[in-house]
Amino acid sequence: MSLLELHDVSVTYRGTAGDVPAVRGVSLGLEAGEALGVAGESGSGKSTLAMSLLRLLPRDARVSGRILLEGEDVLGMSWGRLRAVRWASASVVFQGAQHALNPVRRIGDQIAEPLLVHGAATRDGARRRTAELLEQVGLPAWRARGYPHELSGGQRQRVMIAMALACSPRLIVADEPTTALDVMIQAQVLTLIRSLVAEHGIGLMMISHDLSVLAATCDRLAIMYAGRVVESGPARQVFRDAAHPYGRALAEAFPVVGDTASRRAPRGLGGDPPDPAHLPAGCSFHPRCPVALASCASEPVELRSLTAQVPGPPHVAACVHVGEEAR
């Protein structure tokens, strides 16, 4: 049994002009000790998908499909059961620690809160556990007496990771955990996340727009566009040899160190992602796709396996050009 299984998950927001689809039919799996990266431009649905895992979306969101956490459907849980699962079985490292932390409460009290709410420790035990967690994420125990504004951005992000680890959950969802951090601090936080996954056998779902970060941190990578997964497979393989034109465009947006041509003429992707309320027919990417066929404007494309597979997770992409030689 997988740690996390998503089966045909869709999320729709109720708008004034009708329903707006943000996530459309996503199916993914995650094993314990494995890191799954989810990438895409802003508006692709990746953060909405992440927040749906623990039903953290606003009231105007409607979620369908099945979200199985260790075999139990999150969407069918009572509120009491859901409160018991949050932090204890699965936790979230939210984007922007400065806004996620309470500015008027001490760091130690915020880390200890999940332990006390779930009855996982006494007050003395929570204090000791807080000191252990701070040291585990590379901060001195005395930082527990401080307030969020007294910490740097990287230190606040480490505090968020410590909070997520407090009750020893099996799953951690990290939503853009390195946004707004400088390159050196970003590298430190990513190294920390990788080591925690390896040492504790935690399942990690990491959300980011940065393919290079996900390729360096995760085992598998799923790329989303207009609410759907358009490509997934081994992280380094997808980053190095993406099969979907959108995946290639994201990977090529990163300049190659030492490559003068890529520095002088950086490649990118023209146009903007489609409005979820007015998605184009057929393949949603076809208006921006440099290799689109006439059929792409009318016929949706399901995920297809690449003909040349390597050992490991399957590499699939939703493009008419995938596997052409086999048809």
Side-chain angles (χ1 to χ4, degrees):
M1 180 177 62
S2 298
L3 173 62
L4 177 69
E5 296 179 27
L6 308 183
H7 297 281
D8 198 25
V9 174
S10 296
V11 180
T12 303
Y13 291 103
R14 300 182 186 92
T16 54
D19 290 345
V20 179
V23 174
R24 302 182 294 150
V26 171
S27 296
L28 292 169
L30 178 64
E31 304 292 338
E34 183 183 31
L36 169 66
V38 180
E41 294 171 288
S42 295
S44 63
K46 57 189 187 299
S47 290
T48 293
L49 178 67
M51 294 303 102
S52 71
L53 301 184
L54 290 175
R55 288 164 53 184
L56 295 172
L57 295 171
R59 292 180 180 273
D60 64 346
R62 185 172 65 248
V63 185
S64 63
R66 300 179 71 202
I67 302 174
L68 303 181
L69 180 59
E70 296 186 295
E72 187 175 1
D73 194 347
V74 173
L75 300 181
M77 291 180 180
S78 66
W79 282 110
R81 176 58 182 157
L82 187 60
R83 284 194 295 270
V85 166
R86 290 174 177 171
W87 294 109
S89 297
S91 58
V92 180
V93 179
F94 292 100
Q95 181 177 354
Q98 181 174 355
H99 305 293
L101 294 170
N102 189 328
V104 299
R105 295 188 65 201
R106 295 183 187 274
I107 294 297
D109 292 338
Q110 297 188 60
I111 296 175
E113 183 176 11
L115 293 164
L116 297 174
V117 168
H118 286 277
T122 62
R123 290 197 175 275
D124 287 341
R127 195 176 300 113
R128 290 191 297 271
R129 174 65 172 156
T130 296
E132 293 173 0
L133 287 165
L134 286 172
E135 292 176 355
Q136 191 173 2
V137 298
L139 293 174
W142 59 265
R143 283 293 189 185
R145 301 192 297 272
Y147 292 90
H149 72 272
E150 297 175 322
L151 304 180
S152 68
Q155 289 172 329
R156 284 194 292 266
Q157 201 64 56
R158 289 170 183 264
V159 169
M160 286 296 301
I161 295 172
M163 290 176 63
L165 292 170
C167 295
S168 302
R170 298 277 288 155
L171 170 68
I172 290 181
V173 180
D175 186 11
E176 301 275 10
T178 58
T179 296
L181 300 181
D182 62 62
V183 175
M184 293 301 293
I185 300 302
Q186 182 185 81
Q188 293 174 15
V189 171
L190 292 176
T191 299
L192 170 64
I193 290 174
R194 283 199 302 269
S195 64
L196 291 173
V197 170
E199 292 172 11
H200 298 277
I202 297 169
L204 171 70
M205 177 180 282
M206 186 169 171
I207 312 299
S208 179
H209 61 277
D210 192 330
L211 258 67
S212 62
V213 165
L214 296 178
T217 307
C218 300
D219 303 298
R220 289 188 297 118
L221 177 59
I223 298 176
M224 292 187 66
Y225 186 81
R228 283 185 171 168
V229 173
V230 296
E231 184 165 4
S232 69
R236 292 186 182 276
Q237 183 181 354
V238 172
F239 179 62
R240 183 182 64 250
D241 191 23
H244 195 282
Y246 180 61
R248 287 198 294 272
L250 291 182
E252 291 172 354
F254 297 92
V256 179
V257 176
D259 184 354
T260 305
S262 70
R263 186 179 74 247
R264 292 178 177 173
R267 289 178 288 184
L269 179 61
D272 298 308
D275 181 351
H278 303 93
L279 293 172
C283 173
S284 298
F285 185 62
H286 84 263
R288 305 169 73 189
C289 183
V291 294
L293 304 177
S295 61
C296 297
S298 58
E299 300 175 9
V301 183
E302 300 300 323
L303 290 169
R304 300 174 175 178
S305 296
L306 274 70
T307 54
Q309 287 286 0
V310 296
H315 187 176
V316 297
C319 179
V320 293
H321 297 289
V322 171
E324 285 180 323
E325 61 274 22
R327 295 196 300 274

